[in-house]
Amino acid sequence: MLDQSIVNICGLTQRVLSLPGSKRRLSILIYHRVMDSADPYRPGEANRESFRWQMKLLARNHNVLPLSSAIELLLNKRLPSNAVSITFDDGYADNHDNALPILKEFGLCATFFIASGFLNGGRMWNDDIIDAISNVSGDSLEIAEHGIGKLSTSSPTERMNSISHVLSKIKYIPHKEREQFSRSLLCSYVPNAKSPMMNDDQVVNLRKEKMEIGGHTVSHPILAKLTADESYREIKEGKDYLEDLLGESLHTFAYPNGKNKSDYNPESLEAVKKAGFKAAVTTDWGVSSKETGLFQLKRFTPWDNTPSRFALRLAKNYFGA
């Protein structure tokens, strides 16, 4: 059960949200993973326990809508107050194994944006870095490439700091160079690392369970670093793969990383339109209104680890605080 303080917070929020002028704003939540249990090297990710109370809170106190329905209602000025949509990026297997049963328990729908090139055994570069450094034996690691230098691995906190340092150093280097570096590092410390990503059958089953599937490119590049033709090819080929797999059209897209200018640009946006998508989401924080624009819908992550703080951040984000 939700404790009384949370009930009070949510009740107050609902009364405020029911006032005139509070409608026609959509909160879109971003998730990436729902881990089996808390992972010290992935502190921003939900786990089964936290995701369950989050979904319980949303189901009890918010109008949770499929993203496609929410967009249509937003355009037609019929969006209910306190509207929320749930989204997942990338295509991790725990989305299917851990998140799906909880979503079904509370009768909720989510949209899963899938990077098609990582299905069926692939790995993303950031997971390679995290898994490599978290498995280093000894108190330090020296990496000459990309000006990284000496890293401390003497404690979980130091390993986490080192992981963050390496991720920031290589995030915006050329895509292929980034992939080669991260995979080489992983192979040095976890040579038999397993894939954490979904397979085709799991994506198909998400759709059978009435979840929504969206595009997220093939290989999750920084679109702003690509030419217009390269961006279009990444976006369209990812869309084509998923449409062939599901036997239906995809309508929504999520920009990889998702920050305006640094991660995508006007050419990326035009490529998304050209590929046939009807709307796209970013990772720029805030709520979306009809004036936001269909191809730059805002999202955010309420990272708080207690229900009361989670509820308060949802309310603050809704009002732009």
Side-chain angles (χ1 to χ4, degrees), residues 24 68-79 290:
R24 296 188 291 279
S68 59
S69 299
I71 292 171
E72 182 178 354
L73 291 169
L74 184 66
L75 288 176
N76 294 326
K77 297 183 178 181
R78 294 190 292 112
L79 191 72
K290 188 176 180 181

Side-chain angles (χ1 to χ4, degrees), residues 208-223:
K208 286 181 179 177
E209 295 290 351
K210 309 303 181 183
M211 301 296 128
E212 296 186 343
I213 306 297
H216 200 40
T217 73
V218 175
S219 61
H220 204 277
I222 303 295
L223 292 173

Side-chain angles (χ1 to χ4, degrees), residues 113-215:
F113 294 107
I114 309 295
S116 63
F118 298 106
L119 295 174
N120 306 308
R123 290 183 59 92
M124 299 185 71
W125 70 273
N126 53 299
D127 288 312
D128 287 352
I129 298 298
I130 293 169
D131 290 344
I133 295 176
S134 64
N135 281 280
V136 170
S137 60
D139 291 339
S140 65
L141 170 67
E142 186 83 29
I143 301 177
E145 297 100 313
H146 310 296
I148 293 171
K150 188 175 182 179
L151 304 170
S152 174
T153 55
S154 60
S155 69
T157 299
E158 289 298 308
R159 288 171 191 265
M160 191 63 249
N161 291 338
S162 295
I163 288 168
S164 298
H165 177 67
V166 175
L167 293 176
S168 66
K169 279 285 188 179
I170 71 169
K171 183 174 183 177
Y172 290 104
I173 67 175
H175 179 62
K176 289 184 179 179
E177 186 178 349
R178 186 182 68 183
E179 299 293 323
Q180 290 170 355
F181 170 80
S182 62
R183 189 53 47 86
S184 175
L185 188 66
L186 178 73
C187 290
S188 297
Y189 297 99
V190 195
N192 298 313
K194 297 180 180 180
S195 170
M197 312 307 288
M198 279 190 274
N199 57 40
D200 286 351
D201 290 342
Q202 290 171 315
V203 176
V204 170
N205 192 54
L206 284 176
R207 189 68 190 107
K208 286 181 179 177
E209 295 290 351
K210 309 303 181 183
M211 301 296 128
E212 296 186 343
I213 306 297

